[in-house]
Amino acid sequence: MFEAKPLRWIASSKSDLSAMPAEVRNDVGHALWVAQIGDRHDDAKILKGFGGAGVLEIVARHDGDAHRAVYTVRFDDFVYVLHAFQKKSKRGIETPKSEFDLVKRRLRLAEQDYEKSKGTE
């Protein structure tokens, strides 16, 4: 029988997503479920700058606002949700540098958590 990978939330990502509108939470939740079962939702795009397809960004739109959730599937046993935020920059579709830097820091936290979980099994 097939088992979905569990989600692991890094830092404030869960509470940040919980604070978003219900429609956004539903859209992101569905896209994360697709990741948990080993596929990629149409709204999930590779986040450039992380070397390959291991870090992805879900884009959810609501009332003219763009909301983002970033997750990684780099690890065999879990899907880590690294960040969730509302994109405020009006300069193109690029993820702002401050958000990008936060994702980098949280990816390191996910790596540490994964290594720790491997040591307890």
Side-chain angles (χ1 to χ4, degrees), residues 12-55:
S12 65
S13 59
K14 188 172 188 176
S15 61
D16 294 340
L17 180 61
S18 295
M20 293 181 181
E23 181 180 312
V24 172
R25 291 192 313 267
N26 290 338
D27 291 348
V28 169
H30 179 70
L32 288 172
W33 171 249
V34 172
Q36 286 179 267
I37 61 172
D39 207 352
R40 186 168 84 191
H41 192 275
D42 289 343
D43 291 338
K45 309 294 181 214
I46 296 168
L47 188 57
K48 293 178 184 170
F50 289 94
V55 178

Side-chain angles (χ1 to χ4, degrees), residues 29-85:
H30 179 70
L32 288 172
W33 171 249
V34 172
Q36 286 179 267
I37 61 172
D39 207 352
R40 186 168 84 191
H41 192 275
D42 289 343
D43 291 338
K45 309 294 181 214
I46 296 168
L47 188 57
K48 293 178 184 170
F50 289 94
V55 178
L56 298 103
E57 180 176 50
I58 301 163
V59 178
R61 301 197 182 281
H62 177 71
D63 284 344
D65 294 323
H67 299 268
R68 309 281 177 95
V70 180
Y71 68 95
T72 185
V73 293
R74 282 188 180 177
F75 309 104
D76 293 333
D77 302 325
F78 306 104
V79 173
Y80 281 92
V81 183
L82 304 173
H83 191 29
F85 63 100

